[in-house]
Amino acid sequence: MHEDAQQHLDRFFRHLGTERQLSPLSSVHYRRDLTQCMRYCDTVGIQDWDRLTTPEVRGWVAFMHRRGLAGKSIQRALSALRTFFRYLLREQVVTSNPAGGVTAPKTARRLPKTLTADQATKLVTRDDRAPLMLRDRALWELMYSSGLRLSEVVNLNLAELDLPSGTVRVTGKGKKVRDVPVGTKACEALRVWLSWRQQVADTDEPAVFVNRNGERLTGRAIQARLRQWSVKQGMEVPVHPHMLRHSFASHVLESSGDLRAVQEMLGHANISTTQIYTHLDFQHLASVYDKAHPRARKKTKP
């Protein structure tokens, strides 16, 4: 493509960082997807963005599909292109958005893996008074109690934790702030950890969860600790941080049936994202039905 096309792209990336204030990871995804689109345009002889048409966008989608990209990845790339063209429309560089009516191929939706309520209890039930173990137990209790993302736990500060009222204020995707309840067991575990935390963390360290040097705990460290912890607890499945969030959502929805409340607690912008947990709930009901209904049970061999 012409040099002007790259300049428009560079200005768009600056727009994402300044005006949109997108997270660094989201900006990386935008840059990767749009750079790949530009390379595709080069292969088919498109010299500038105003020359890109809807049929050619569909050709790009087909190209990604042939390369084996999943529908979700193609959908993300299309979303990036639509956003870019909305910016170009605003800047009066183009007169239409060729990606507007293009859809990604549908792929089978994989349901997230969750723990059962008994497995979740087994995971956090550990009588070990070592300070780091107390910290880890408080971590798992909070993540399962409140459905926090890994990044939200990493960035959590003391000022955002209100144990007397049993709530935590977290900053989620898009810098959206939400207040989430914290369960009794999680509050108890957090109080125990905080009594130890003051022995390793400086008074000016705001992070709730710190390492043995008193510094904010990283996401990678949390992932590794949870993996080690779950093995020692004899868990039947490998446990990762997002599984605790999935388990929280599934168990709350199963007990309450309140999809909107679960959406608010998870911090989902669209309820369609939360609706995947209704499929998990139905799976549970179907399993109960298969085991309980006399006309549904599988026949045993004579």
Side-chain angles (χ1 to χ4, degrees), residues 54-272:
T54 297
E56 285 153 346
V57 172
R58 292 197 179 101
W60 179 48
V61 169
F63 172 75
M64 290 188 286
H65 188 57
R66 286 195 301 272
R67 288 178 54 209
L69 263 69
K72 191 172 183 180
S73 297
I74 298 174
Q75 189 175 30
R76 187 196 63 216
L78 276 171
S79 176
L81 189 61
R82 288 191 201 101
T83 304
F84 177 47
F85 266 86
R86 282 197 290 270
Y87 165 80
L88 293 179
L89 282 167
R90 192 191 77 172
E91 298 298 306
Q92 298 182 340
V93 175
V94 298
T95 57
S96 63
N97 190 336
V102 181
T103 58
K106 289 185 178 181
T107 54
R109 195 173 194 183
R110 290 186 298 175
L111 297 179
K113 293 181 179 179
T114 65
L115 300 172
T116 65
D118 288 341
Q119 286 174 326
T121 300
K122 179 181 178 181
L123 178 71
V124 298
T125 304
R126 184 169 175 177
D127 189 17
D128 193 324
R129 308 304 292 178
L132 292 185
M133 295 301 174
L134 296 175
R135 178 204 65 193
D136 290 350
R137 185 182 176 192
L139 260 169
W140 318 144
E141 287 277 15
L142 177 61
M143 295 177 79
Y144 174 57
S145 166
S146 305
L148 303 190
R149 298 179 178 95
L150 177 60
S151 60
E152 293 169 349
V153 167
V154 169
N155 295 322
L156 188 63
N157 292 326
L158 293 170
E160 297 156 344
L161 194 61
D162 188 349
L163 294 182
S165 67
T167 59
V168 61
R169 175 163 291 181
V170 293
T171 303
K173 290 185 177 180
K175 297 188 177 180
K176 292 182 179 178
V177 178
R178 69 187 191 280
D179 293 323
V180 186
V182 181
T184 303
K185 294 291 185 182
C187 284
E188 291 173 0
L190 283 163
R191 287 191 182 95
V192 173
W193 156 241
L194 292 177
S195 67
W196 280 98
R197 179 195 171 281
Q198 60 188 359
Q199 299 182 27
V200 294
D202 292 335
T203 53
D204 58 350
E205 172 56 60
V208 172
F209 297 106
V210 297
N211 58 24
R212 64 178 74 249
N213 298 321
E215 301 166 342
R216 187 182 296 272
L217 201 60
T218 66
R220 185 164 293 183
I222 292 174
Q223 290 172 323
R225 295 288 296 188
L226 179 54
R227 184 166 56 250
Q228 295 167 7
W229 179 289
S230 62
V231 169
K232 288 183 179 179
Q233 289 299 90
M235 302 298 294
E236 298 86 352
V237 292
V239 182
H240 54 82
H242 221 60
M243 188 181 287
L244 296 178
R245 177 171 161 87
H246 290 322
S247 301
F248 156 84
S250 180
H251 297 166
V252 171
L253 183 61
E254 185 180 322
S255 300
S256 68
D258 194 332
L259 192 64
R260 286 288 180 187
V262 174
Q263 177 194 5
E264 289 292 326
M265 287 186 280
L266 289 174
H268 285 161
N270 299 313
I271 199 165
S272 60

Side-chain angles (χ1 to χ4, degrees), residues 1-2 4-9 34-35 37-39 41 46-53 81 84-85 88 93-94 96 98:
M1 298 184 87
H2 285 152
D4 286 348
Q6 181 63 57
Q7 290 175 353
H8 289 312
L9 207 54
L34 292 174
T35 300
C37 181
M38 178 179 274
R39 288 173 184 162
C41 289
I46 298 171
Q47 298 298 312
D48 215 335
W49 295 114
D50 62 356
R51 301 293 182 183
L52 186 61
T53 65
L81 189 61
F84 177 47
F85 266 86
L88 293 179
V93 175
V94 298
S96 63

